[in-house]
Amino acid sequence: MDPISLQLDTKNLWSCLVRLLSKDPEWLNAKVKFFLPNMDLGSGNEALDPTQRVILQLKELYTQGPATWETFIHCVCMELEVPLELEVPLLSTWGHGDGFPSQLEDDEDSQPESQLQHGVKRPLQSCGSSPRPKQSRKQQLELAKRYLKLLRTSAQQRYSGRIPGPGQPLAFQQAYIPPILQWHRATAPFNTQEGALMGDPKTEDGTDVSIRDLFNTRADKGPRVRVLLGKAGMGKTTLAHWLRQKWADGQLDRFQALFLFEFRQLNLITSVLTLPQLLFDLYLSPEAGPEAVFQYLEENADGVLLIFDGLDEAFQPCSSRETADSEALGPALALFSNLCRGTLLPGCWVMATSRPGKLPACLPTEAATVHMWGFDGPRVEEYVGRFFSDRPSQEAALAELRADGHLRSLCAVPALCRVACICLHHLLPGSSPGQSAALLPTVTQTYVQMVHALGPHVYLSAKSLMGLCEVALRGLETGKVIFSAGDIPPPTMAFGAALGLLTSFCICTGPGHQETGYAFLHLSLQEFFAALHLMASPEVDKDALTRHVTLNSRWVLRTKARLGLLDHLPSFLAGLASSACRRFLSHLAQQDEVWVGAKQAAVVQALRKLATRRLTGPKVVELCHCVSETQEPELAGLMARSLPCQLPFHNFPLTHADLAALTNILGHRNAPIHLNFEGCPLEPCCPEALAGCGQVENLSFKSRKCGDAFAEALSRSLPTMESLKNLGLAGSKITARGISHLVKALPLCPQLEEVSFQDNQLKDRDVLNIVKILPRLPRLRKLDLSRNNVSVWTLLRLTEVAVMCPTVRTLQVGKAELIFLLSSPTETAAELPGAPELQESAGQRKEAPSRSLALRLQECQLGVHEVEMLIAQLQKCPHLDEVDLSGNQLEDEGCRLMAEAAPQLRITGKLDLSDNGLSVDGLHQVLSAVSTCRTLTELHISLLRKTVVLTFASEPEEQAGMHKSAVFLDSLVPQTPSELPLRSQEIRLTHCGLQARHLELLCKALGGSCHLGHLDLSGNTLGDEGAAQLAQLLPGLGPLQSLNLNENGLSLDAVFGLAQCFSTLQWVLQLDISFESQRVILRGDRRGRDLSAGGSLPEFPAGAHFSGSGQHCIPRSFCLRECQLEPLSLLRLCETLEKCPGPLEVTLSCEVLSDQSLETLLHRLSRLPQLSLLQLSQTGLPPRSPLMLAALFSLCPRVQKVDLRSLHHATLHFRSSEEQAGGCCGRFTGCGLSQEHVEPLCWLLGKCDDLSHLDLSANLLGDDGLRCLLEHLPRVPISGSLDLSHNSISQESALCLVEMLPSCPGVQEASVNLGSEQSFWIHFSRQEEAGKTLRLSECSFGPEHVPRLATGLSQAPQLTELTLTQCCLGLEQLTVLLSLVRWPKGLLSLRVEEPWVGRAGVLALLEACAQASGNVTKISISETQQQLCIQLEFPHQENSEAVALRLAHCDLGSHHSLLVSQLMETCTRLQQLSLSQVNLCDDASSLLLRSLLLSLSALKKFRLTSSCVSSEGLAHLTSGLSHCHHLEELDLSNNQFGEEDTRVLLGALEGKQWLKRLDLSHLPLGGSTLAVLTQGLSHMTLLQSLRLSRNGIGDIGCCHLSKALRAATSLEELGLSHNQIGDTGAQHLAAVLPGLPELRKIDLVSCEIDNQTTKPLAANFVLCPALEEILLSWNLLGDEAAAELAGVLPRMGRLKRVDLEKNRITARGAWLLVEGLAQGSSIQVIRLWNNPIPPSMAQRLQSQEPRLDFAFFHNRPQAPRGT
């Protein structure tokens, strides 16, 4: 019996299993290949009996261990049709770990050696440290040959399966379709003599790189490294295996050996490796002689290719040390680094694949990088065609693909294309057209459909699928992508193998250590199953789920031990959040759809938060994928709205799928967006994803990776983007083929406004082809072709296009610039001059100027021949704004040709010929060529700075047309075109090396100019000889406006020679010379040449004079600075200026002017009768200069004003001979004048007939000098003012001034401030006036100064007003002063402003007033303003009534009685008592005030405002006022009284029939109070002013008031502001207006007056003939009220002001007021600020009627029109 049957006691079970598997040997082969990847199933086993082969294969599986055998049994029961009676014992016996036997291995020894062979691999033998035996060369070659054959055989066996089983990678089940490859960075990687050259970056865009392209190079030495970059699913691993398969088939014949490593496997190696160990121990070991084989590989390294797949998965950092020793130990990545750098196996080829990101530093900089872009459209169709074997399926699948753009976009990724084909293979049978593709709307749902497609032959167990999902998530979280048999439960492993979701391979964890590893077919598949676990597992809550919804940047940062393996996980989670996946997730999770929906909502909410953030470009793209996967329109709309209007993408790769996701999101956006792609590697076909995107307004690409294929794809999308205005494609590698596609597409985009093809290496023909489409783009504004290769010949073709194309406005060509600026033909009308209000006739429209062109051809290597051709072209252009030919090679001849042609070219701007090699001889030729050009306005030539610029104006005929269209034609004198003044020319020949010998020829060339205005010859070398010669030649040039001779080396003799031009040249008005800086300028009148041509007179300057005949005389000015003026020089200068016609202004400036020089100058002034101004500025003057200048008033009677400041600035003003003599002014400030100068100065000034003003401020007079000056002051005839401020004076000077007042009869007012202001002013008057005013501020008087001050005041009876402000005068000193001042007769007003006034109280202040020596006639107290005003009358007189009253109080014996008696005696003649902001709450003050009022029979004015008074005090006050029967003015406003107190106070109005002014504002006037007021007003027949503001007066109050005012026929002012006047009240008020014939002002501000209320008021305003001012601001007046007012305005002859601020008047109402004013009115202003009138309309109304004022501040009143 068989040993196995004996051991297991299951003889029948084993034999049944063998018989079952013998029926399907192919299935068994596939499973053995899956579990034993390296086992040879080829020729060695074909000789065996089929049953023996099955037994052998089962035993090999059995020996792998219990996990493998258990998994295999599960595969048998899951995939094959196993009878139930066999399946149960199989699973019960071998389907779990307990049933695995222990002695099966004993039978292995009985099997022959040949049957146990595991392929061609030899037993492992380490090559790391064994000694190398000596072998002959022939033996080495034989060993190497046998190893190379073994290497190729091994690769052939790896890919030799005719019918791949489930374990084999999906990519090899069909014929391979290579993806798009595109060069990214390379150092000449191609040999132009070999094979296909489609990838040459210098000729094409690098797409469709062939295999030969990948491994061609011109470099024979150094590292040959290729890096293939591609996103997940692009086919990097597939390409690596395909290259190995092609090599095994002999197609890559240039390589003798090819090694393929995967970093995901190399990461499992923990021990250090040498290169021989890597090649022989871990890959394939030679049969013998590994040292000889390795030596052969080293000697033939150029034929060795090492492929490293998954460089991005390498964990270990690169080693920093380099070594050429192959035995050196290091990690796998260090070996890779040394291979790349050529330190190991120098000359070999290394190719690595990686996801895009930050590549490791171990890669050499010269490594060539290739991007893998997946499939384009033809490749997708080819792949689909090969996937489906039968033709009907092919056609059906291709129809689905062509009908669904999203499916085509999805299939651009090869891995997804494979998945989609599997789904279509499953869905197409039995489905209608289009239905299958509809089931694949997203990547996630495509994966879901793939699971369904792979599962029909296997029961799709939710438990098994969830087990696989758990394995996937656990692996991603731990960074594991390769699993061992123990990592995956056997049922789960069997399930994954049955569906073909797992792949297996042999892995080496070190020398001699091998095992089978398992992995998901693709990393994205593992991420998909991980996302399924997160969504369907009950163990994952919402918080844990949303933590995985994150966005990662595309750049891979190698700062962590493992890379991010969860890149696609958020996208899969978003896709599973779609409602379409709810049913599938519900089945998988064994939960209801509500539970699933809650998880889906959590994912959507997390995405919603991300959608509102500002993200970088990579994260925006990733979020677009996630949002698109959800199929949530509301979420897509939220993200679309949150995107900024400028969306940049910089330096990360983008695929067709990325742009398709972005386009999908933009489809939910309404606003336009600008997309800018800069430095991004772009898949060539990705522009196709933008097709139909109507939201993109600006699209810009800047990348060297864009080529012809990209341009072709872009050309297909452009016509579908209807909103696109700006298109940019810069820095690419487009050739003629790509341009041809774009040229065909651009005319289909008529909405384009700007197109840029910068820096694209375009050739001449390409540029011309682009320019040809300009007429077909009607809205194009700019075409940028800068930084391309354009020849001179092509440049001339472009200028021809610019001249002929009517929309081209500017052609800008520079060294790296080529730009067309265009405008639509409809813009011509908008450019016409003139105001928009002017209506043009049809004839005028025909005369509109045609378009003009600006042509700038800078640094284009143009020569004389090209200029001739250019001139011929430009003569066809009607108008040229500008022609710039700077930086070319025209030289003298070319510049002459352009200058001669300029008058015929109709240039209206500038012609720039700078930097063209012009010489001095050529300068004369240019001058002669343009001398007669009437349109030339400026010529600037500087040979040193290589500047040649000619500026032109329009033709005189065009100027005439412009004058006709001017807005202010009505103010100009009509002129015919021939009469229009020509604009003066400006010729600037600076730094040209001109000498005196050139002047004659130069002036001859300039003499032909008919309107030369400005001549600039600065920066030349004319010298004195040239200046003298030029002075003789100037008359031949006609009248100039300016002549500039700066920097010409002129001496002082040349200056004096030029000064003679004042007498020889009539046009010279100003000669400005700065000697040190060599600045010499002669100026004339701005329109001097126009005057000579009969033009109109210019405006008169401020200093202009008129001759006796009334003719205008413009002053001439001579200015000489920075020159040492000696007496002889000044004498010669004055002699020269004597011949100059007047008036003349002279300005001199030098460092120091000596006494002798100043004296010489001043003595010569009398010989210059034409001199009007002499100014010595920034000149050091001698100390005696004040006296010398003061003597001028007598020496030179024409001197009008002398102004000397700080001994550095002196100005003398002179009268003309025609002016009458008048007052003189002297100003000597900061001159150091002291006491010793006072007497001689006064003696000199005393000789002046009339000195109106004298300023001696900021000197050193002091108290003594001031006293001396005041003593001599009567000798000085001052009639105006004297300023002595800032002269270091003290109180002594102030007291001295008081004492000197009687001896100065002409003094009218004096003011002294000894504080920080330090002012001292005395004002004089010609007439002897009655009173004098003295103001003393901050004088700090002490008690000792008061008697002296009083004595001085007593000796000055002419003084009428004295103000003492903050002079430290206390209450006691004031009392003393009042008692000591005594006059024989007169009135003295004393005002004291001290801080203590506000604290002293009324009682104390009145007590001080009682001590006055004269009668007090006025008292005014303001505690807040800290002010006390007293008026004294001398001599003191006693009133008999006061005596009687005093005697009546003498028995009291109290201080109060004594004070009352003193006040009665002192204030018996008091006429005005004013109390403001005082406190009268104490009985003593109010009783004193009552007693005082009882004695004031002559009191006429009483004011009590803003004060605090108690009720008792108010009763006392009322009692006192009741006896003041002669009151004419009573002001009780702004007091806080109650209604009862007010009623009591108004009782004092009884009997006041003499009252003229009454102010009761802010007092509450209720019913009873108003009755008292009405009763009092009825007797006031002389009342002129009544103010009742803020009194709470309503309709009833107006009724009472109207009755009371009937007797006030003399009323001139009525103020009722801030009351509540209604319609009834307005009618009562209007009824009384006709009875007020003297009324001048009525104030109704803020009285709630509306349109209805205005009607009766406006009607009766007319009946007030004297009314001048109406205030109605801050009311509710509208247009209806404005109409009422406008109707009465013409009938009010004396009305001057109407205030309507802050109302509701609109522009219509304002216009009615304008119409009312137009009918005739004396109104000066109507205020309309803050009404609802737009500013533009207000401006128009004010221009129509200036008397309307809309400003916040009051403007100056406008005089009425016609006055």
Side-chain angles (χ1 to χ4, degrees), residues 245-280:
Q245 182 182 2
K246 290 297 179 183
W247 173 80
D249 294 341
Q251 295 187 25
L252 288 177
D253 53 356
R254 70 167 302 157
F255 296 116
Q256 299 183 49
L258 186 148
F259 299 89
L260 173 59
F261 301 97
E262 294 184 2
F263 267 110
R264 64 175 179 174
Q265 298 183 33
L266 295 178
N267 287 333
L268 301 177
I269 301 173
T270 57
S271 60
V272 293
L273 290 174
T274 63
L275 184 56
Q277 288 176 331
L278 178 69
L279 299 180
F280 301 150

Side-chain angles (χ1 to χ4, degrees), residues 34 158-161 163-173 502-503 521:
F34 177 78
R158 174 70 176 83
Y159 308 110
S160 63
I163 304 177
Q168 196 167 343
L170 292 174
F172 294 97
Q173 294 185 19
L502 296 176
T503 183
L521 285 180

Side-chain angles (χ1 to χ4, degrees), residues 38-59:
N38 287 340
M39 182 175 178
D40 183 16
L41 302 177
S43 58
N45 294 325
E46 289 180 356
L48 297 176
D49 179 77
T51 302
Q52 291 296 323
R53 188 183 307 165
V54 170
I55 293 174
L56 177 62
Q57 291 174 339
L58 287 178
K59 288 185 177 182

Side-chain angles (χ1 to χ4, degrees), residues 1018-1067:
S1018 60
N1020 289 291
T1021 55
L1022 298 180
D1024 291 357
E1025 181 185 357
Q1029 186 177 355
L1030 186 61
Q1032 298 176 1
L1033 295 173
L1034 280 178
L1037 298 180
L1040 303 178
Q1041 296 181 29
S1042 70
L1043 173 61
N1044 190 337
L1045 298 176
N1046 294 346
E1047 303 175 24
N1048 267 289
L1050 304 184
S1051 67
L1052 197 58
D1053 292 337
V1055 170
F1056 294 146
L1058 290 175
Q1060 296 177 0
C1061 293
F1062 278 127
S1063 57
T1064 59
L1065 296 174
Q1066 185 179 359
W1067 61 268

Side-chain angles (χ1 to χ4, degrees), residues 45 184 307-308 556 649 766 980 988 1122 1380 1456 1625 1651 1660 1752:
N45 294 325
H184 171 66
I307 301 178
F308 291 87
V556 180
F649 299 94
D766 303 331
L980 286 172
R988 300 173 59 197
E1122 304 171 5
L1380 293 179
H1456 174 73
N1651 292 332
N1660 285 356
F1752 176 75

Side-chain angles (χ1 to χ4, degrees), residues 834-847:
E837 294 84 2
L838 298 178
Q839 299 295 328
E840 294 183 285
S841 64
Q844 287 174 323
R845 285 193 294 268
K846 291 180 181 178
E847 295 173 1

